[in-house]
Amino acid sequence: MPIFRKGPKKQKAGLTDALRSSKTEKPKRPLVRANFLELQSCLRSDPGFGADEEDNMDQGLDLETLVTDPGLSIAAMIDGHGRDGKAVAELIKNHVKQDFENLGVADCSARIKACFTQLNAQACSAEDIDVSDSGASATIVLHCAESRDLIVANVGDTKAVLARGIDSPTGVQLSTDHYPGVDEERQRIIAAGGRVAASDDVQLGEIGELRVWRGTESAPGIPLSRTIGDAIAKEVGVTFEPAIKKLTLAPEDRFLVVASGGVWKVLSPQEVVDIVAQQEDTAQAAEKVLEVAKDRWEELWQGQNTTAMVIAFQAVDLGSAVLARGIHCAQMIPAIEERIMAPFTKSLLASGAISVSSYDQQLQFLPWHE
């Protein structure tokens, strides 16, 4: 392990000037350009215009490390619906981490699929919850620190969107929207005896979004094709089997936003990424997403539960970690400064993690600490 100590008093002019100015000027860097030693996350929720927390059917599990496997972290976003939707969402939040840890399945993708099966069974067997016409959308996120693998599994419309890029990140949706209008979903529902149609108004005919119905009945009328709970809808092709996406994070993959349906109904994935990218930390970012979403709902004279979680990924390598620490180069012996910092600067430039063109220019982006 390298030992850092005070270097010689004589320093390069550009380096010394940057170090001196850092004591009085601490540049604020947007989240998209930040480098972290560890995962950073924050979850915020708002019941919406005219509602209180008792009306909030959103539940979220902020990022937590697994007890049985400290190298894995888990997070979840749950959006309940129906009369007992809040109870279903709370049950999922309270059981998801323990269920995942207790399942004796080695492969993470297989284990997360089994976790959805178990969560659905628990919701349907709960004595104090009526899931005949109540349920929840759910997105589960797994992150492996060593391999930088990310797994996103979901049912319903709680989206997970990855920000890819440094200066102008692109929103990449990792979750799958499960609506009955999607051809694959529609075919499964019809094959099971269900019907896909909008609500039928006596005067206006079919209006609104497509929903799932049991034959010619006026139930259940759910606008989703995959959920946890919703026992009646399960009889006609609605399933709890999640869509699973696995990838290895690249250096340009900066953060992940997971939010409830109330956010995505008024904000596009790219809008959310643009909002988060310019905030200073995950807490500010999550709060800003909710603020903008609430404004959009109020413009419509409506309100809806909104919940957002922002997860910022850690630095890719030691070079990024050094930058994230804000270690003063003046405290590094010349050999380490020359052998470690310069190669890592080249590495970060090549990967796109920083976009400056010289050693001294790079210093203005460091998060100096006193």
Side-chain angles (χ1 to χ4, degrees), residues 332-368:
M332 307 172 73
I333 60 175
I336 293 178
E337 181 180 337
E338 179 66 25
R339 191 176 63 186
I340 295 181
M341 289 300 291
F344 277 130
T345 299
K346 294 177 182 178
S347 172
L348 291 172
L349 285 167
S351 68
I354 59 174
S355 59
V356 296
S357 58
S358 73
Y359 191 77
D360 283 343
Q361 283 178 312
Q362 174 187 310
L363 295 174
Q364 64 183 299
F365 297 108
L366 291 174
W368 302 114

Side-chain angles (χ1 to χ4, degrees), residues 113-252:
K113 185 175 179 180
C115 185
F116 273 84
T117 301
Q118 186 158 320
L119 288 168
N120 186 76
Q122 289 168 332
C124 292
S125 62
E127 295 182 357
D128 56 343
I129 303 177
D130 179 4
V131 296
S132 58
D133 59 355
S134 297
S137 295
T139 296
I140 298 176
V141 176
L142 287 172
H143 177 270
C144 179
E146 182 177 355
S147 65
R148 287 180 60 83
D149 284 343
L150 184 72
I151 299 177
V152 173
N154 82 291
V155 294
D157 61 354
T158 44
K159 290 183 178 64
V161 176
L162 178 71
R164 177 166 290 167
I166 305 298
D167 295 319
S168 300
T170 300
V172 180
Q173 184 171 328
L174 301 183
S175 56
T176 301
D177 293 331
H178 292 136
Y179 299 124
V182 176
D183 189 55
E184 178 185 353
E185 305 294 293
R186 181 199 295 265
Q187 290 182 22
R188 185 185 67 249
I189 291 165
I190 292 174
R195 177 170 56 94
V196 176
S199 298
D200 191 14
D201 183 89
V202 176
Q203 294 180 326
L204 301 176
E206 289 191 359
I207 57 173
E209 57 195 342
L210 293 175
R211 297 174 180 271
V212 179
W213 311 93
R214 184 168 61 180
T216 59
E217 299 178 23
S218 58
I222 181 175
L224 301 168
S225 57
R226 302 193 190 199
T227 66
I228 291 175
D230 296 297
I232 295 176
K234 293 298 192 294
E235 298 174 9
V236 289
V238 172
T239 179
F240 53 78
E241 182 175 348
I244 300 176
K245 175 75 172 180
K246 181 178 179 180
L247 73 157
T248 299
L249 293 169
E252 65 268 22

Side-chain angles (χ1 to χ4, degrees), residues 1-20:
M1 180 178 294
I3 299 175
F4 297 98
R5 61 179 176 81
K6 288 185 178 181
K9 292 182 179 179
K10 188 176 181 180
Q11 299 289 335
K12 297 177 182 179
L15 180 61
T16 305
D17 292 342
L19 290 172
R20 286 174 178 170

